[in-house]
């Protein structure tokens, strides 16, 4: 758990050796990073409702909360992936672009577009108890599917974060843990809002399938950057679903 939070959040953690035996079950705790984000987001939503905070300020803070907690690691993956895909080059060239620490024009453009779009939809979120709980669960759900992909999909190269966590993981244990997370989350969602939950299930599965198809066709597997790209896209799509099926202010 310490390794997972050290890697995927900015929450201070004790030092620990990143040995293979210490990383066997690291991905089992990845959704808990989402739980922390969800709790903080829920607290902000409740506070904004209680204090009658305006939609613009509310949306601005809601947009940056996940970035602050994660340190932007998934946004970094989103930007690198956009740069690579927009190059329309060979697989080898795209993988080189993923490793390039510099930001390209397409990454900058799409990053700005992404944040404007996320901010815009946050202004339309209806702050109800059901939506607060639902959105909090979304951050766990995205990470559960991302962790499941890490231990299920083929890695495009024998290096990088995705390969490191995938290679070290006790895969069957991680898969079972993710099934439990996903099952519990979907049951709670169905109890809260059946229509929104069904829409979430369909959209998540479609996004997951598209993620695998894109990764295999363009990169012959997944990388840590592609995992971050998937997570950001899925959370944005599910935010749209909450706006559509959860009502507007």
């Amino acid at each position: 758990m310490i390794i997972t939070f050290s890697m995927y959040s900015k929450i201070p953690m004790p030092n620990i050796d990143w040995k293979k035996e210490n990383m066997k079950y690291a991905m089992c705790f990845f959704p808990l990073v989402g739980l922390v984000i969800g709790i903080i987001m829920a607290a902000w939503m409740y506070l904004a409702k209680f204090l009658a905070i305006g939609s613009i300020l509310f949306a601005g803070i809601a947009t940056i909360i996940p970035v602050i907690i994660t340190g932007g690691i998934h946004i970094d993956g989103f930007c690198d992936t956009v740069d690579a895909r927009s190059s329309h080059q060979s697989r080898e060239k795209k993988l080189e672009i993923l490793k390039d620490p510099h930001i390209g024009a397409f990454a900058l453009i799409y990053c700005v577009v992404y944040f404007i779009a996320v901010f815009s939809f946050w202004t339309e979120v209806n702050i109800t108890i059901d939506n607060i709980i639902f959105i909090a669960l979304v951050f766990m759900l995205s990470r559960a599917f991302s962790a499941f992909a890490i231990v299920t999909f083929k890695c495009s190269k024998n290096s990088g974060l995705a390969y490191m966590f995938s290679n070290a993981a006790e895969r069957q244990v991680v898969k079972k843990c993710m099934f439990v997370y996903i099952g519990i989350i979907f049951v709670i969602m169905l109890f809260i809002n059946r229509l929104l939950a069904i829409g979430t299930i369909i959209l998540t599965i479609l996004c997951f399938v598209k993620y695998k198809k894109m990764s295999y066709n363009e990169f012959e597997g997944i990388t840590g950057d592609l995992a971050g790209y998937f997570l950001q896209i899925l959370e944005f799509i599910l935010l749209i679903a909450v706006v559509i099926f959860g009502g507007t202010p």
Side-chain angles (χ1 to χ4, degrees):
M1 184 177 69
I2 292 173
I3 290 174
T4 301
F5 274 81
S6 297
M7 183 68 244
Y8 295 107
S9 81
K10 298 297 289 184
I11 300 171
M13 287 287 146
N15 291 326
I16 190 171
D17 292 333
W18 284 45
K19 296 183 294 185
K20 187 171 182 178
E21 55 266 31
N22 290 341
M23 298 178 65
K24 286 183 179 179
Y25 309 110
M27 294 310 297
C28 293
F29 299 95
F30 190 30
L32 296 187
V33 178
L35 176 61
V36 173
I37 297 172
I39 290 173
I40 294 173
M41 187 68 77
W44 168 241
M45 292 177 72
Y46 180 81
L47 181 64
K49 182 75 171 181
F50 180 75
L51 298 178
I53 291 174
S55 61
I56 293 178
L57 177 58
F58 163 72
I61 300 298
T63 300
I64 66 175
I65 282 175
V67 181
I68 292 174
I69 297 174
T70 63
I73 185 171
H74 306 302
I75 283 292
D76 176 70
F78 172 84
C79 290
D80 288 342
T81 301
V82 168
D83 261 343
R85 297 191 68 195
S86 299
S87 71
H88 301 289
Q89 298 292 318
S90 64
R91 169 186 175 270
E92 290 72 21
K93 183 61 177 178
K94 287 180 178 178
L95 289 175
E96 287 181 17
I97 294 173
L98 290 181
K99 293 190 297 183
D100 190 339
H102 301 93
I103 185 171
F106 288 106
L108 178 59
I109 292 168
Y110 279 95
C111 186
V112 172
V113 170
Y114 178 86
F115 278 119
I116 290 175
V118 170
F119 171 84
S120 300
F121 277 96
W122 270 116
T123 64
E124 296 297 321
V125 170
N126 188 17
I127 306 178
T128 63
I129 294 298
D130 287 351
N131 281 351
I132 289 174
I133 298 173
F134 208 98
I135 288 174
L137 292 172
V138 163
F139 293 102
M140 290 186 68
L141 183 66
S142 63
R143 284 159 177 79
F145 270 91
S146 183
F148 184 77
I150 289 292
V151 296
T152 305
F153 295 173
K154 178 180 68 174
C155 291
S156 67
K157 54 184 181 178
N158 296 328
S159 61
L161 285 175
Y163 176 78
M164 180 174 64
F165 278 95
S166 176
N167 186 54
E170 195 69 43
R171 299 192 177 197
Q172 292 306 315
V173 175
V174 175
K175 287 180 184 178
K176 290 176 182 178
C177 283
M178 294 310 110
F179 277 125
V180 171
Y181 279 119
I182 292 168
I184 292 174
I185 291 168
F186 278 154
V187 168
I188 296 174
M189 285 182 168
L190 285 168
F191 180 78
I192 295 172
N193 185 326
R194 185 169 298 178
L195 179 62
L196 179 54
I198 293 173
T200 296
I201 293 170
I202 294 173
L203 289 171
T204 301
I205 292 174
L206 289 175
C207 190
F208 189 71
V209 171
K210 176 66 176 177
Y211 166 46
K212 181 178 181 180
K213 183 178 178 181
M214 179 273 291
S215 299
Y216 278 53
N217 288 345
E218 298 186 30
F219 299 89
E220 297 182 12
I222 64 170
T223 68
D225 287 322
L226 294 175
Y229 174 83
F230 162 72
L231 190 147
Q232 295 294 157
I233 294 297
L234 179 59
E235 290 181 355
F236 175 54
I237 290 174
L238 296 185
L239 175 61
I240 296 174
V242 171
V243 171
I244 294 174
F245 299 109
T248 54

